[in-house]
Each structure stands twice: as structure tokens, then as C-alpha cells.
DNA sequence: AATTACATTGAATGAAGTTTCAACCAATTA
DNA sequence: TAATTGGTTGAAACTTCATTCAATGTAATT
């Protein structure tokens, strides 16, 4: 035998991680089709060939990222829903955290942008599209449920809960995309502006 | 001489119009780089060659569309600002019209989406980028001015006017993008949800 | 009917990327 | 130190498109 297994596994895991992270950066910025394999490879100072040692194609990387994005998003939603907070606290907390996330330029923010970008484009792999169609509704449903709860105790406005959930997520997505363009210069707005759409005064 | 000039001019104008309109559709849906010249050509049942009779390149079409998009958008903003309405009426009107626009799937809606898409991507021609950077602030400024007016007469909430304008446009963009994905199924939310971010109760 | 001015076609060209693959290298174990 | 395993390279083969261009079609004018 040669190098021990753990060592190799570690190298492998790290490379995969590097590739995913850089790819995420480019996909979020330029979209799938405008991102070249060489963008990713040269940003990591590795050969293009190596990327194909880890992934079959550009699209496979993309699809894996979309999968992870929804896993994290949905996990966060499940977590939020299960917290011992009032509906009002949950929504206020979610908006605050999401805005905070957008200000930092980290993977978490890019995942969010990736979803927004991917959702906006028809030019994505079929598998990724399927994931989006399957998973995208969950976060909308969670927010709608929380809002419905809040309407029962009178702390939320009485617009249609689904419409409110729609506006919740599309507003966040709109901000994510704005941030993608203006990058550094972006400063998140006061969370209270957004919460005022939902809360009874 | 051959065909009369007017006739030729008419054919030319019509073709240009057709090409622009189809290109707008594809760019809005898939982005610049994922849109092939053959997508446009075959959707119009013309040869690829013919497109090059009218435009130098993919990018030229894109850039012209971006220019037109901002012309229209900015013209609408100028118009809005000059109307004899209160600030509150202006914002309410703008939101209503924008939401109405989104429900119809027409060029006007696609222009809006094009800007959102283009703004979100770094993979666009330098000239188009320049237009975006130059023109994109205007609509934000107009809305910010109207909001500032509304704050003076006490009908608007007192958050930072620039932040409110930011949320105004990013919320609309977020909805535009959502609509792009879900197309038919999209139903615009109650305009009052959005206005409640701005108006004093 | 012949001429002319353009619109239009589609095959050829070339550039830009993606993907494959044979050879190379680095580290561990025997 | 030799053998081995598997990560890594980069040039070559392939694909996919964008773009060009020589040839063709067409309708008005003479």
C-alpha cells in the first residue's frame, strides 16, 4: 500500500471543498454558463484536468451546490420553526439574520445568491432544475405557517399568508442580487423596514 | 434603382424589432451567455447569418436592449415625478403599476427582468455595464426624492429615504425574478403589502 | 424582360471552451 | 530503497458556437 487512506481522503475532501467554494463564487457572480472551468482552476492555481478528477462536469458541480444550498436553507427553516419563540420573534429574527448574512461576503451569502440566480435562469441542468422545483417551496411554506400563527394571535397583518411569504422571500432575494452587483458598497437596510410589512403596529 | 427605399426601410425596421424582441425574451430567461444566436434565429425562423446583417454581435443586441430598458425606465420615473400627485399617491401608483406590469408577460415586464438579470451578472459587455452603472442610480434617486417629500408632510415612515428606495426597487426586482421562474403561475401580491413598508399608518 | 439593390441563406471558418488521457510526481509502506 | 497508490499536470482531441462570406432570391424600376 502507499499513502495511508485517511491522508488521501483528507486531500480529496479538501480539494472538493476548494473547488465547490470557488465554483460557488463564480456561479453566484456570473452564472453557470459564463463561468469557465479555467476560471475555477486558475483561481485555485490547479490544472483544469484536476477538476475533472473530482467532478464529471461543470454542471455536476453546479447541481451539487444547488443541492447543498437547499439542504442548508431548509435545515435553517426547520430549525427556525422549532424554536421556542413567538411568530413575531421568529420573523424578526429571520429577517435580521438574513440581512446580517448578506452584509458579510461569505459562502452562506453566496449560496443564497446562487439560488436566486439559478431560480432566475432557465439555462441550468435538468437535475438542478428538478431540485429547485422540489425544494424551493419548503422555505415558502415554513414562512407562511409562521405568519399564519402570527395572524391567529393578532400580531401580524391579515393579508394572505402565502402572499406575505412570497414577498418575504422575494424581498430578500432582491437584496441578495443587489448586493451581488454592488458588493462592497452594499449596506443592508434597517430590518424594521422589512418587518413593517408583516407586523401589526 | 430597385425596391423603393421606404419599403426596404420598413423591412429593416421590422426585422430589427423582431430580433430585439426575441433576444429580449431569451436574455431575460437564460442570460446573455447561455443564449445562442441560433436560439434567436430559429425562434424567428430565419438564418443565423441574417442576424449579422442587422447586428454586429450578440453583445451589440444585448447592449441596445439594456439601453432601451433604462431609457424607458427612466422616462417612466421622470413622468412619475412630474405628476400632480402627493408623494403617497405617487408611490402607491408606482407599486400598483409595476405589479400589474409583472403579471402581464410582455416586453415591458421582460425589460424589467433583463435589468435585474444583467445587474446580477458580471459576465456582460463592458459597454452594457457602463450603461447600467451610469443609469441605474436614477430610478433609485427619484424614488428616494419622492419618499423624502412624503416624510416632510408626515405621510411616510421616517426610515432613511435611501434605504427605503433600495427596498422599494429590490422588492420589485425580487418579484420580477420570481415571476421569471414561475411564469404562468405567478400572481402578484396585494400592493398594500408593499406600500405598508413606506406609509405611516 | 433585364437590371439593380438589397434581403436572405447556409456552408465554411475560426475561436473558445470542455473533456480526455497518457505521463509525472509525491508520499507512504515494505 | 523499491514498489505502489493515487493525486496532479498539460497537451491533444472534441464540441459548440459565433461570425464571415460567396451565392441566391426577390421585388421594384427601367
Amino acid at each position: 500500500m502507499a499513502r495511508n487512506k485517511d491522508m488521501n481522503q483528507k486531500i480529496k475532501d479538501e480539494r472538493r471543498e476548494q473547488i465547490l467554494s470557488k465554483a460557488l463564487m463564480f456561479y453566484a457572480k456570473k452564472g453557470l454558463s459564463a463561468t469557465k472551468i479555467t476560471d475555477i482552476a486558475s483561481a485555485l492555481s490547479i490544472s483544469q484536468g484536476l477538476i475533472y478528477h473530482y467532478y464529471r462536469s461543470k454542471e455536476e458541480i453546479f447541481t451539487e451546490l444547488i443541492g447543498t444550498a437547499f439542504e442548508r436553507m431548509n435545515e435553517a427553516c426547520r430549525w427556525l420553526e422549532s424554536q421556542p419563540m413567538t411568530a413575531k420573534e421568529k420573523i424578526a429574527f429571520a429577517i435580521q439574520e438574513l440581512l446580517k448574512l448578506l452584509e458579510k461576503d461569505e459562502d452562506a451569502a453566496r449560496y443564497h445568491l446562487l439560488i436566486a440566480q439559478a431560480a432566475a435562469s432557465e439555462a441550468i441542468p435538468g437535475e438542478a432544475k428538478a431540485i429547485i422545483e422540489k425544494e424551493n417551496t419548503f422555505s415558502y411554506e415554513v414562512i407562511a405557517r409562521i405568519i399564519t400563527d402570527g395572524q391567529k394571535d393578532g400580531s401580524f397583518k391579515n393579508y394572505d399568508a402565502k402572499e406575505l411569504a412570497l414577498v418575504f422571500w422575494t424581498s430578500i432575494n432582491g437584496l441578495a442580487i443587489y448586493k451581488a452587483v454592488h458588493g462592497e458598497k452594499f449596506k443592508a437596510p434597517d430590518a424594521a423596514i422589512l418587518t413593517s410589512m408583516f407586523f401589526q403596529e
Side-chain angles (χ1 to χ4, degrees), chain A:
Chain A
M1 206 166 292
R3 286 185 220 169
N4 84 47
K5 281 225 163 147
D6 292 350
M7 198 64 190
N8 272 325
Q9 193 58 45
K10 206 183 145 205
I11 291 177
K12 226 165 163 171
D13 290 348
E14 277 175 12
R15 270 277 181 263
R16 275 182 167 268
E17 198 42 59
Q18 288 173 356
I19 293 171
L20 282 174
S21 172
K22 271 290 181 257
L24 173 59
M25 208 194 82
F26 281 106
Y27 290 155
K29 258 192 208 166
K30 328 207 302 183
L32 170 62
S33 114
T35 299
K36 320 282 167 248
I37 283 291
T38 56
D39 289 339
I40 301 169
S42 72
L44 290 171
S45 309
I46 62 176
S47 62
Q48 326 97 286
L50 189 53
I51 290 180
Y52 289 90
H53 186 67
Y54 290 96
Y55 292 95
R56 265 177 211 303
S57 68
K58 258 171 103 172
E59 281 72 22
E60 192 179 88
I61 304 176
F62 186 85
T63 305
E64 177 161 339
L65 284 169
I66 290 287
T68 307
F70 279 110
E71 251 168 49
R72 295 193 183 186
M73 165 72 76
N74 291 351
E75 174 50 31
C77 286
R78 267 191 294 278
W79 178 88
L80 178 71
E81 199 171 18
S82 76
Q83 286 311 100
M85 300 176 175
T86 64
K88 194 169 174 176
E89 284 165 345
K90 283 178 191 170
I91 293 295
F93 180 84
I95 288 179
Q96 242 160 45
E97 289 304 307
L98 284 166
L99 291 180
K100 217 184 286 171
L101 207 60
L102 285 186
E103 284 214 356
K104 303 185 209 162
D105 189 35
E106 288 168 357
D107 275 5
R110 294 200 194 100
Y111 272 120
H112 203 89
L113 182 58
L114 185 75
I115 295 180
Q117 276 254 9
S121 172
E122 289 196 1
I124 58 174
E127 209 184 330
K129 211 173 188 172
I131 295 177
I132 293 177
E133 256 149 51
K134 182 168 178 304
E135 306 290 350
N136 198 28
T137 54
F138 183 70
S139 55
Y140 284 79
E141 286 165 1
V142 169
I143 296 297
R145 278 200 293 273
I146 296 176
I147 289 173
T148 304
D149 282 354
Q151 289 173 328
K152 280 181 194 144
D153 69 27
S155 60
F156 277 62
K157 292 187 174 148
N158 274 313
Y159 299 112
D160 183 278
K162 279 186 186 169
E163 290 191 4
L164 284 168
L166 173 69
V167 176
F168 177 98
W169 281 118
T170 56
S171 299
I172 295 291
N173 281 346
L175 284 167
I177 285 180
Y178 185 93
K179 185 240 160 65
V181 200
H182 298 82
E184 302 299 299
K185 284 166 280 176
F186 175 74
K187 189 171 158 301
D190 191 330
I193 297 174
L194 290 174
T195 56
S196 70
M197 283 191 286
F198 308 103
F199 301 160
Q200 208 71 259
E201 304 297 311

